[in-house]
Amino acid sequence: MCKPHPKVGYGLGVFVQDAGENRGTVITHNGGMPGHAALMYSTPDGSKTLTAALNYVDDAALSMAETFQKTTQRLVKEVFGGGQAGSAQ
């Protein structure tokens, strides 16, 4: 499961993602349907995990996609990088 296809970074249900400089690798997968999303991140050995769920409005005029992506990446850095993500921008 953790040996993804080299071109897409995906293999048998999970993504393998670099968590950033000196932060190692995380295994991740997300899912959702209109109005709800779920996230899962874990170190390969399972010693640290992060799960989150959220509800949102599925309306293009109210899209939070960019903010959501930036916030997710900051959260991953905080959890898997020892709280070193820096200040919010």
Side-chain angles (χ1 to χ4, degrees):
M1 282 182 69
C2 295
K3 292 186 179 182
H5 188 279
K7 290 185 180 179
V8 294
Y10 178 78
L12 298 177
V14 297
F15 291 91
V16 178
Q17 175 182 326
D18 181 357
E21 188 176 335
N22 300 319
R23 293 184 182 98
T25 299
V26 293
I27 308 301
T28 181
H29 187 68
N30 60 30
M33 55 190 245
H36 178 77
L39 306 171
M40 182 286 302
Y41 292 87
S42 176
T43 55
D45 65 2
S47 63
K48 187 179 281 192
T49 62
L50 164 67
T51 58
L54 65 114
N55 294 319
Y56 63 94
V57 175
D58 191 19
D59 182 330
L62 299 173
S63 178
M64 295 180 58
E66 183 178 351
T67 302
F68 177 74
Q69 291 297 325
K70 287 180 180 179
T71 303
T72 300
Q73 291 308 309
R74 183 161 188 254
L75 184 58
V76 169
K77 287 179 183 178
E78 284 290 330
V79 171
F80 296 98
Q84 300 172 10
S87 62
Q89 300 205 19

